[in-house]
Amino acid sequence: MASRSMALSLIPWILVALLSLNLPLSDGDDEKQWCIADPQTTDEQLQGAMNWACGTGGVNCTKIQPGGECYDPNIVVDHASYVFNDYWQRFKNQGAYCYFNAVALNTGEDPSHGSCKFECLP
């Protein structure tokens, strides 16, 4: 009984020793993040946030216009995802969040499709 108790008391110290080794938790690929529109959000909410990003937010939204690389599919949630990610990638290192009034979320899966490439900056 005493040896089991002693073994259990060593667990916190073993964890501290392992954490102090600073071993990488992944190979780095898992650390890539994109900002996309929450698909459960209404088109009206997404459009409002997208209007802000393309206006005051300073995103160049030509890629989601007809003929642009990210126009197709012509769906609000896809256009909003491109716009939100473009804004967030540019400003995340200055403290910006992937939030957009609660209509966006982060993902570890690259949302790029066809000719539409989503940036992922460090």
Side-chain angles (χ1 to χ4, degrees):
M1 184 71 140
S3 63
R4 182 172 184 223
S5 175
M6 187 173 153
L8 289 175
S9 69
L10 290 175
I11 290 175
W13 295 107
I14 293 169
L15 290 174
V16 168
L18 289 173
L19 291 173
S20 69
L21 293 175
N22 284 331
L23 296 174
L25 298 176
S26 71
D27 60 7
D29 289 342
D30 296 336
E31 295 174 19
K32 290 184 177 181
Q33 290 283 302
W34 292 266
C35 180
I36 61 169
D38 183 343
Q40 297 181 27
T41 307
T42 68
D43 284 356
E44 292 77 24
Q45 290 172 306
L46 293 174
Q47 190 65 54
M50 201 171 24
N51 289 347
W52 176 87
C54 291
T56 305
V59 174
N60 180 347
C61 293
T62 58
K63 288 188 178 184
I64 61 167
Q65 301 302 316
E69 296 94 345
C70 297
Y71 179 72
D72 289 319
N74 184 13
I75 301 170
V76 174
V77 70
D78 285 355
H79 289 180
S81 290
Y82 176 80
V83 170
F84 296 169
N85 187 67
D86 188 74
Y87 177 86
W88 184 67
Q89 293 294 335
R90 294 176 193 277
F91 297 108
K92 66 183 179 184
N93 291 326
Q94 297 172 26
Y97 293 98
C98 176
Y99 183 71
F100 295 92
N101 231 10
V103 300
L105 50 92
N106 286 106
T107 182
E109 293 183 36
D110 185 351
S112 298
H113 54 276
S115 63
C116 183
K117 304 300 179 205
F118 283 59
E119 280 191 291
C120 184
L121 303 172

